[in-house]
């Protein structure tokens, strides 16, 4: 919904300039199209993808599905610092809420398409741990899965033991189906969205959806605390990568190179948006991928969305912080931040009052869907 050039000054707490900023934060628009996946908005593919997403047979031990680490009740996260599948991974599972809007996938951005992201965990030894041949054969041998697959993608061979190319095609179509399902993973109205409607319409009743503490937090978020420099737009993320000096969860874990390694992995992936399995390899995906330069990258991680953030704890790429209060305290003091190698120039201690810290937490809690 477009906002007017002179928004209604219906709240005594915000200036007209602040209201204009707030109106850019809601509602969430429809996701952009994905030309690399011709089935991205196909209802039958989405239904098939939902089946695959929840089926534990698509793992080496028959006990892990996509839903293992992406649980609906936790906004499609798992509540763990380091997610666990066949083994233990090196990072926290990011939410899949509104994931179709993301430009890059994973904390390090090593996938540039949603279907490419869906395929990585299936063969990762610490996540699902299986093989594309195993998965293709399972679909071919299961009457229901085979019928659903063939209704969308066409006929299947009976055996994939000696035909990796055929198995890869089925594997790619699995990813594109899961992506079609994941494009539907949106949540409903938040108290903040109701508040924004109230600002836009001059409805004081709707503006009461945010209590005074949350309104104070919002004022700080777009103002003195400068949270919106990275957590911008209706998804509260700039969709890019930043280095904020959070130390590793465990110093004994292997060093995590974040975006530095992610760019190389993306460019070398057989499932990126400019490769042979893309449905539009010469299209807009090149605008994202071609300019990426490993030499200019730093150890950084993708800015997460803040929608439903109150139920996606723990926080940061390895779940280093347990609560929103700890997140606010981190930015407030930067006491334990290692900023020696970061290019970020905006990170300075906020030095907030107790009520201001509580207000930021209250505001973030208002981003939970009803």
């Amino acid at each position: 919904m477009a906002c007017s050039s002179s928004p209604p000054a219906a709240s005594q707490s915000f200036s007209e300039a602040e209201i204009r900023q707030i109106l850019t934060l809601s509602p969430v628009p429809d996701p952009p199209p994905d030309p690399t996946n011709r089935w991205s908005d196909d209802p039958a593919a989405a239904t098939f993808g939902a089946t695959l997403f929840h089926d534990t047979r698509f793992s080496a031990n028959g006990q892990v599905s996509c839903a293992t680490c992406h649980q609906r009740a936790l906004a499609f996260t798992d509540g763990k610092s380091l997610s666990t599948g066949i083994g233990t991974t090196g990072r926290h599972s990011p939410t899949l809420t509104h994931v179709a809007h993301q430009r890059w996938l994973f904390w390090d951005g090593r996938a540039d398409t949603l279907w490419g992201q869906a395929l990585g965990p299936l063969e990762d030894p610490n996540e699902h741990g299986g093989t594309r041949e195993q998965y293709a054969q399972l679909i071919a041998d299961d009457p229901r899965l085979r019928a659903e697959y063939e209704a969308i993608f066409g006929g299947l061979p009976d055996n994939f033991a000696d035909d990796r190319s055929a198995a890869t095609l089925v594997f790619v179509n699995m990813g594109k189906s899961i992506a079609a399902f994941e494009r539907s993973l949106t949540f409903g109205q938040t108290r903040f969205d109701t508040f924004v409607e109230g600002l836009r319409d001059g409805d004081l009743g709707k503006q009461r959806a945010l209590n005074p503490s949350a309104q104070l937090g919002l004022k700080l978020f777009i103002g003195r605390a400068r949270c919106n420099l990275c957590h911008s737009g209706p998804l509260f993320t700039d969709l890019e990568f930043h280095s904020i000096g959070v130390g590793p969860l465990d110093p004994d874990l292997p060093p995590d190179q974040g975006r530095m390694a992610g760019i190389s992995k993306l460019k070398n992936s057989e499932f990126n948006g400019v490769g042979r399995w893309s449905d539009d390899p010469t299209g807009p995906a090149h605008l994202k991928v071609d300019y990426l330069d490993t030499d200019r990258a730093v150890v950084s991680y993708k800015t997460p969305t803040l929608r439903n953030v109150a139920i996606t704890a723990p926080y940061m790429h390895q779940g280093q912080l347990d609560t929103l209060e700890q997140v606010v305290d981190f930015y407030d003091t930067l006491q334990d931040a290692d900023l020696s190698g970061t290019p970020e120039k905006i990170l300075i201690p906020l030095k907030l009052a107790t009520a201001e810290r509580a207000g930021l937490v209250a505001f973030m809690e208002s981003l939970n869907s009803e």
Side-chain angles (χ1 to χ4, degrees), residues 8 90 286:
H286 277 289

Side-chain angles (χ1 to χ4, degrees), residues 69-262:
C69 294
H70 298 287
Q71 301 167 25
R72 180 180 294 273
L74 297 176
F76 295 95
T77 63
D78 62 3
K80 299 179 179 179
S81 292
L82 303 181
S83 294
T84 304
I86 296 291
T88 300
T89 71
R91 295 187 185 135
H92 171 61
S93 286
T95 179
L96 296 183
T97 304
H98 301 291
V99 70
H101 291 267
Q102 299 290 339
R103 298 180 69 234
W104 314 103
L105 287 307
F106 298 108
W107 282 103
D108 58 7
R110 66 184 182 272
D112 64 328
T113 66
L114 192 50
W115 59 271
Q117 179 278 324
L119 296 176
L122 287 168
E123 291 190 310
D124 187 293
N126 287 321
E127 298 188 58
H128 294 244
T131 68
R132 64 193 67 179
E133 290 86 359
Q134 168 195 343
Y135 302 144
Q137 195 64 57
L138 173 57
I139 291 174
D141 291 343
D142 184 290
R144 177 193 168 196
L145 294 179
R146 181 172 190 135
E148 290 187 24
Y149 179 95
E150 292 185 333
I152 303 165
F153 302 109
L156 277 170
D158 292 324
N159 190 283
F160 295 91
D162 301 315
D163 194 344
R164 184 169 177 82
S165 180
T168 300
L169 175 60
V170 176
F171 188 55
V172 167
N173 289 338
M174 287 176 60
K176 292 179 178 179
S177 298
I178 293 171
F181 165 64
E182 290 180 345
R183 282 174 67 85
S184 73
L185 300 183
T186 60
F187 283 75
Q189 188 89 344
T190 69
R191 287 186 286 121
F192 171 73
D193 294 321
T194 300
F195 173 81
V196 174
E197 288 180 358
L199 285 184
R200 185 172 284 117
D201 302 335
D203 186 327
L204 294 175
K206 288 185 176 180
Q207 289 176 39
R208 295 190 187 98
L210 289 193
N211 64 29
S213 180
Q215 290 197 34
L216 171 62
L218 172 56
K219 195 176 186 72
L220 288 164
F221 190 93
I222 63 173
R224 181 159 57 88
R226 303 186 297 175
C227 309
N228 64 329
L229 292 181
C230 297
H231 293 285
S232 55
L235 295 183
F236 294 88
T237 169
D238 61 1
L239 307 176
E240 290 298 335
F241 301 83
H242 295 278
S243 176
I244 62 172
V246 177
L249 180 68
D250 181 349
D252 294 330
L253 290 171
D256 188 331
Q257 296 301 306
R259 186 60 166 156
M260 288 181 66

Side-chain angles (χ1 to χ4, degrees), residues 252-299:
D252 294 330
L253 290 171
D256 188 331
Q257 296 301 306
R259 186 60 166 156
M260 288 181 66
I263 290 176
S264 295
K265 291 175 181 178
L266 170 59
K267 284 182 169 287
N268 293 322
S269 172
E270 63 181 309
F271 302 127
N272 64 32
V274 298
R276 63 171 293 200
W277 300 106
S278 169
D279 292 320
D280 190 24
T282 61
H286 277 289
L287 299 176
K288 293 197 301 182
V289 176
D290 284 358
Y291 79 89
L292 292 174
D293 185 353
T294 307
D295 293 336
R296 298 175 62 186
V298 298
V299 177

